[in-house]
Amino acid sequence: MKKKILSVVLAAVCVLSLAACGSKADSKESKKDTIVMATNAEFPPYEYYEGDKVVGIDAEFAAAIAEKLGMELKIEDMAFDSIIPAVQSGKADFGAAGMTVTDERKSQVDFSDSYYTGRQVIIVKEDNTEITGPDDLTGKKIGVQLGTTGDIYASGDYGDENIERFNKGFEAVQSLGQGKIDAVVIDDQPAKTFVEENEGLKILDTEYVEEDYALCFKKDSDLVDQVNDAIAALKADGTFDKIVEKYIGTETAE
Ligand code: GLN
């Protein structure tokens, strides 16, 4: 009798645990895994706010990559110089922020294949005839966004004492408009947007530095290979060009 009760109880336990397992599997299937992107949404047309939503080339490209991986994209907005620490600590799965590949950053994170060519350009006041290219920046007050390659290169070339750092690129451009600094060094596409929004400024034809943008990951992350496959596929099927065209126009994406 005792044996019989025991086997009934055991059977009941088995059925219950199976049911539990079953429902767990179901809920996992219906809910996609989330992939978290760290960015700094102050960088049009790559990432910026439209209402309370982060949009732009990187935001849409990352959403297309996440879809290829069967994952749901979540975007975390933060200061530009917090992106690499967020990726290193695992707070974010990757960073997408018009981020330039540099040797120094390569020692901190892994980069995907490059998906775009960026350029550091120089913005000055429209009536400025003195500064016509990088050589004329010596001894001038140069505004940059903190922790960006504009900051790194300009402080290296022209001396820390001549650099004014701003949290947002747009603030540097505003300061130039107010005549508080002589020039701004910043990426070409945001430069275009900011100059359109501020009267009396121009972008010099002679660019300062050319660079590659890529997504960054925690070192040795398994995601890099998967994301590189997705990038290749989205470039091959024209999705990437379509996204760039939507935000920049017909300029060819590289
Ligand atoms: N391309 C620059 C860098 O990587 C600026 C990026 C940004 O401000 N979002 O430093």
Side-chain angles (χ1 to χ4, degrees), residues 40 43 47 80 97-100 105 120 145 147-149 187 211 213:
N40 172 235
F43 200 67
E47 40 269 330
F80 183 76
M99 188 181 281
T100 306
R105 289 176 185 162
Q120 294 297 312
Q145 186 188 355
T148 61
T149 44
D187 301 52
E211 43 193 20
Y213 289 172

PDB file of all heavy atoms in Angstrom, residues 40 43 47 80 97-100 105 120 145 147-149 187 211 213, ligand 1:
ATOM      1  N   ASN A  40      25.042  57.537 -27.629  1.00  0.00           N
ATOM      2  CA  ASN A  40      24.927  58.905 -27.133  1.00  0.00           C
ATOM      3  C   ASN A  40      24.066  59.641 -28.163  1.00  0.00           C
ATOM      4  O   ASN A  40      24.530  59.984 -29.248  1.00  0.00           O
ATOM      5  CB  ASN A  40      26.322  59.538 -27.027  1.00  0.00           C
ATOM      6  CG  ASN A  40      26.258  61.018 -26.713  1.00  0.00           C
ATOM      7  OD1 ASN A  40      26.811  61.839 -27.428  1.00  0.00           O
ATOM      8  ND2 ASN A  40      25.574  61.381 -25.663  1.00  0.00           N
ATOM      9  N   PHE A  43      23.919  62.955 -31.696  1.00  0.00           N
ATOM     10  CA  PHE A  43      24.834  62.865 -32.815  1.00  0.00           C
ATOM     11  C   PHE A  43      24.072  62.626 -34.122  1.00  0.00           C
ATOM     12  O   PHE A  43      24.169  61.558 -34.725  1.00  0.00           O
ATOM     13  CB  PHE A  43      25.797  61.699 -32.506  1.00  0.00           C
ATOM     14  CG  PHE A  43      27.086  61.689 -33.262  1.00  0.00           C
ATOM     15  CD1 PHE A  43      28.041  62.673 -33.058  1.00  0.00           C
ATOM     16  CD2 PHE A  43      27.366  60.672 -34.171  1.00  0.00           C
ATOM     17  CE1 PHE A  43      29.251  62.641 -33.733  1.00  0.00           C
ATOM     18  CE2 PHE A  43      28.569  60.637 -34.860  1.00  0.00           C
ATOM     19  CZ  PHE A  43      29.514  61.635 -34.634  1.00  0.00           C
ATOM     20  N   GLU A  47      22.422  59.183 -34.405  1.00  0.00           N
ATOM     21  CA  GLU A  47      21.522  58.895 -33.286  1.00  0.00           C
ATOM     22  C   GLU A  47      21.088  60.202 -32.652  1.00  0.00           C
ATOM     23  O   GLU A  47      21.924  61.022 -32.291  1.00  0.00           O
ATOM     24  CB  GLU A  47      22.162  57.983 -32.207  1.00  0.00           C
ATOM     25  CG  GLU A  47      23.611  58.288 -31.890  1.00  0.00           C
ATOM     26  CD  GLU A  47      24.551  57.478 -32.761  1.00  0.00           C
ATOM     27  OE1 GLU A  47      24.149  56.371 -33.147  1.00  0.00           O
ATOM     28  OE2 GLU A  47      25.642  57.957 -33.077  1.00  0.00           O
ATOM     29  N   PHE A  80      28.905  60.038 -24.258  1.00  0.00           N
ATOM     30  CA  PHE A  80      29.748  59.288 -25.202  1.00  0.00           C
ATOM     31  C   PHE A  80      30.856  58.527 -24.489  1.00  0.00           C
ATOM     32  O   PHE A  80      31.119  57.368 -24.793  1.00  0.00           O
ATOM     33  CB  PHE A  80      30.325  60.228 -26.270  1.00  0.00           C
ATOM     34  CG  PHE A  80      31.130  59.484 -27.299  1.00  0.00           C
ATOM     35  CD1 PHE A  80      30.506  58.745 -28.284  1.00  0.00           C
ATOM     36  CD2 PHE A  80      32.515  59.508 -27.260  1.00  0.00           C
ATOM     37  CE1 PHE A  80      31.241  58.029 -29.222  1.00  0.00           C
ATOM     38  CE2 PHE A  80      33.260  58.801 -28.199  1.00  0.00           C
ATOM     39  CZ  PHE A  80      32.615  58.066 -29.177  1.00  0.00           C
ATOM     40  N   ALA A  97      27.607  54.316 -32.008  1.00  0.00           N
ATOM     41  CA  ALA A  97      27.561  55.754 -31.753  1.00  0.00           C
ATOM     42  C   ALA A  97      28.454  56.516 -32.727  1.00  0.00           C
ATOM     43  O   ALA A  97      29.160  57.425 -32.329  1.00  0.00           O
ATOM     44  CB  ALA A  97      28.011  56.021 -30.315  1.00  0.00           C
ATOM     45  N   GLY A  98      28.413  56.129 -33.999  1.00  0.00           N
ATOM     46  CA  GLY A  98      29.325  56.760 -34.948  1.00  0.00           C
ATOM     47  C   GLY A  98      30.738  56.665 -34.385  1.00  0.00           C
ATOM     48  O   GLY A  98      31.530  57.586 -34.501  1.00  0.00           O
ATOM     49  N   MET A  99      31.026  55.517 -33.753  1.00  0.00           N
ATOM     50  CA  MET A  99      32.290  55.410 -33.021  1.00  0.00           C
ATOM     51  C   MET A  99      33.442  55.028 -33.948  1.00  0.00           C
ATOM     52  O   MET A  99      33.357  54.062 -34.699  1.00  0.00           O
ATOM     53  CB  MET A  99      32.168  54.395 -31.889  1.00  0.00           C
ATOM     54  CG  MET A  99      33.397  54.398 -30.996  1.00  0.00           C
ATOM     55  SD  MET A  99      33.314  53.198 -29.671  1.00  0.00           S
ATOM     56  CE  MET A  99      32.243  54.038 -28.515  1.00  0.00           C
ATOM     57  N   THR A 100      34.498  55.807 -33.851  1.00  0.00           N
ATOM     58  CA  THR A 100      35.685  55.588 -34.668  1.00  0.00           C
ATOM     59  C   THR A 100      36.553  54.486 -34.073  1.00  0.00           C
ATOM     60  O   THR A 100      36.733  54.433 -32.850  1.00  0.00           O
ATOM     61  CB  THR A 100      36.508  56.890 -34.717  1.00  0.00           C
ATOM     62  OG1 THR A 100      35.659  57.925 -35.163  1.00  0.00           O
ATOM     63  CG2 THR A 100      37.715  56.757 -35.622  1.00  0.00           C
ATOM     64  N   ARG A 105      41.248  52.472 -28.335  1.00  0.00           N
ATOM     65  CA  ARG A 105      39.954  51.826 -28.031  1.00  0.00           C
ATOM     66  C   ARG A 105      40.016  50.321 -28.284  1.00  0.00           C
ATOM     67  O   ARG A 105      39.358  49.552 -27.593  1.00  0.00           O
ATOM     68  CB  ARG A 105      38.839  52.467 -28.873  1.00  0.00           C
ATOM     69  CG  ARG A 105      38.500  53.878 -28.407  1.00  0.00           C
ATOM     70  CD  ARG A 105      37.470  54.522 -29.311  1.00  0.00           C
ATOM     71  NE  ARG A 105      37.241  55.908 -28.925  1.00  0.00           N
ATOM     72  CZ  ARG A 105      36.665  56.811 -29.707  1.00  0.00           C
ATOM     73  NH1 ARG A 105      36.246  56.478 -30.907  1.00  0.00           N
ATOM     74  NH2 ARG A 105      36.498  58.049 -29.278  1.00  0.00           N
ATOM     75  N   GLN A 120      36.670  63.892 -39.747  1.00  0.00           N
ATOM     76  CA  GLN A 120      36.694  65.023 -38.824  1.00  0.00           C
ATOM     77  C   GLN A 120      36.826  66.279 -39.677  1.00  0.00           C
ATOM     78  O   GLN A 120      37.728  66.367 -40.510  1.00  0.00           O
ATOM     79  CB  GLN A 120      37.878  64.911 -37.858  1.00  0.00           C
ATOM     80  CG  GLN A 120      37.774  63.731 -36.894  1.00  0.00           C
ATOM     81  CD  GLN A 120      36.583  63.833 -35.969  1.00  0.00           C
ATOM     82  OE1 GLN A 120      36.338  64.881 -35.361  1.00  0.00           O
ATOM     83  NE2 GLN A 120      35.819  62.762 -35.865  1.00  0.00           N
ATOM     84  N   GLN A 145      33.880  67.692 -28.726  1.00  0.00           N
ATOM     85  CA  GLN A 145      33.048  66.942 -27.794  1.00  0.00           C
ATOM     86  C   GLN A 145      33.943  66.018 -26.984  1.00  0.00           C
ATOM     87  O   GLN A 145      34.778  65.290 -27.538  1.00  0.00           O
ATOM     88  CB  GLN A 145      31.983  66.132 -28.543  1.00  0.00           C
ATOM     89  CG  GLN A 145      31.008  65.454 -27.582  1.00  0.00           C
ATOM     90  CD  GLN A 145      30.052  64.490 -28.254  1.00  0.00           C
ATOM     91  OE1 GLN A 145      30.028  64.379 -29.474  1.00  0.00           O
ATOM     92  NE2 GLN A 145      29.267  63.802 -27.463  1.00  0.00           N
ATOM     93  N   GLY A 147      35.988  63.403 -25.179  1.00  0.00           N
ATOM     94  CA  GLY A 147      36.278  61.978 -25.361  1.00  0.00           C
ATOM     95  C   GLY A 147      36.143  61.464 -26.782  1.00  0.00           C
ATOM     96  O   GLY A 147      36.320  60.278 -27.033  1.00  0.00           O
ATOM     97  N   THR A 148      35.836  62.348 -27.723  1.00  0.00           N
ATOM     98  CA  THR A 148      35.696  61.908 -29.117  1.00  0.00           C
ATOM     99  C   THR A 148      37.060  61.981 -29.808  1.00  0.00           C
ATOM    100  O   THR A 148      38.014  62.550 -29.271  1.00  0.00           O
ATOM    101  CB  THR A 148      34.705  62.802 -29.885  1.00  0.00           C
ATOM    102  OG1 THR A 148      35.210  64.143 -29.874  1.00  0.00           O
ATOM    103  CG2 THR A 148      33.327  62.766 -29.249  1.00  0.00           C
ATOM    104  N   THR A 149      37.111  61.452 -31.022  1.00  0.00           N
ATOM    105  CA  THR A 149      38.380  61.508 -31.745  1.00  0.00           C
ATOM    106  C   THR A 149      38.744  62.955 -32.067  1.00  0.00           C
ATOM    107  O   THR A 149      39.923  63.295 -32.142  1.00  0.00           O
ATOM    108  CB  THR A 149      38.330  60.664 -33.032  1.00  0.00           C
ATOM    109  OG1 THR A 149      37.097  60.898 -33.695  1.00  0.00           O
ATOM    110  CG2 THR A 149      38.470  59.195 -32.724  1.00  0.00           C
ATOM    111  N   ASP A 187      32.777  65.371 -36.327  1.00  0.00           N
ATOM    112  CA  ASP A 187      32.484  64.489 -37.469  1.00  0.00           C
ATOM    113  C   ASP A 187      31.636  65.220 -38.518  1.00  0.00           C
ATOM    114  O   ASP A 187      30.783  66.042 -38.171  1.00  0.00           O
ATOM    115  CB  ASP A 187      31.739  63.240 -36.994  1.00  0.00           C
ATOM    116  CG  ASP A 187      32.536  62.457 -35.955  1.00  0.00           C
ATOM    117  OD1 ASP A 187      32.972  63.062 -34.956  1.00  0.00           O
ATOM    118  OD2 ASP A 187      32.729  61.262 -36.133  1.00  0.00           O
ATOM    119  N   GLU A 211      38.247  58.572 -40.960  1.00  0.00           N
ATOM    120  CA  GLU A 211      38.242  57.451 -40.004  1.00  0.00           C
ATOM    121  C   GLU A 211      37.124  56.457 -40.266  1.00  0.00           C
ATOM    122  O   GLU A 211      36.199  56.748 -41.009  1.00  0.00           O
ATOM    123  CB  GLU A 211      38.155  57.996 -38.569  1.00  0.00           C
ATOM    124  CG  GLU A 211      37.165  59.118 -38.410  1.00  0.00           C
ATOM    125  CD  GLU A 211      37.294  59.865 -37.093  1.00  0.00           C
ATOM    126  OE1 GLU A 211      38.340  59.806 -36.451  1.00  0.00           O
ATOM    127  OE2 GLU A 211      36.310  60.503 -36.716  1.00  0.00           O
ATOM    128  N   TYR A 213      34.035  54.008 -38.873  1.00  0.00           N
ATOM    129  CA  TYR A 213      33.081  53.776 -37.785  1.00  0.00           C
ATOM    130  C   TYR A 213      32.816  52.272 -37.663  1.00  0.00           C
ATOM    131  O   TYR A 213      32.701  51.576 -38.668  1.00  0.00           O
ATOM    132  CB  TYR A 213      31.730  54.435 -38.104  1.00  0.00           C
ATOM    133  CG  TYR A 213      31.683  55.941 -38.061  1.00  0.00           C
ATOM    134  CD1 TYR A 213      30.537  56.593 -38.498  1.00  0.00           C
ATOM    135  CD2 TYR A 213      32.730  56.708 -37.573  1.00  0.00           C
ATOM    136  CE1 TYR A 213      30.446  57.979 -38.470  1.00  0.00           C
ATOM    137  CE2 TYR A 213      32.644  58.086 -37.539  1.00  0.00           C
ATOM    138  CZ  TYR A 213      31.505  58.722 -37.988  1.00  0.00           C
ATOM    139  OH  TYR A 213      31.409  60.087 -37.958  1.00  0.00           O
TER     140      TYR A 213
HETATM  141  N1  GLN B   1      33.530  59.512 -34.298  1.00  0.00           N
HETATM  142  C1  GLN B   1      33.834  60.189 -33.090  1.00  0.00           C
HETATM  143  C2  GLN B   1      34.464  59.232 -32.114  1.00  0.00           C
HETATM  144  O1  GLN B   1      34.343  58.054 -32.250  1.00  0.00           O
HETATM  145  C3  GLN B   1      32.623  60.875 -32.459  1.00  0.00           C
HETATM  146  C4  GLN B   1      31.520  59.969 -32.089  1.00  0.00           C
HETATM  147  C5  GLN B   1      30.386  60.644 -31.309  1.00  0.00           C
HETATM  148  O2  GLN B   1      30.502  61.768 -30.854  1.00  0.00           O
HETATM  149  N2  GLN B   1      29.286  59.971 -31.173  1.00  0.00           N
HETATM  150  O3  GLN B   1      35.081  59.632 -31.186  1.00  0.00           O
END
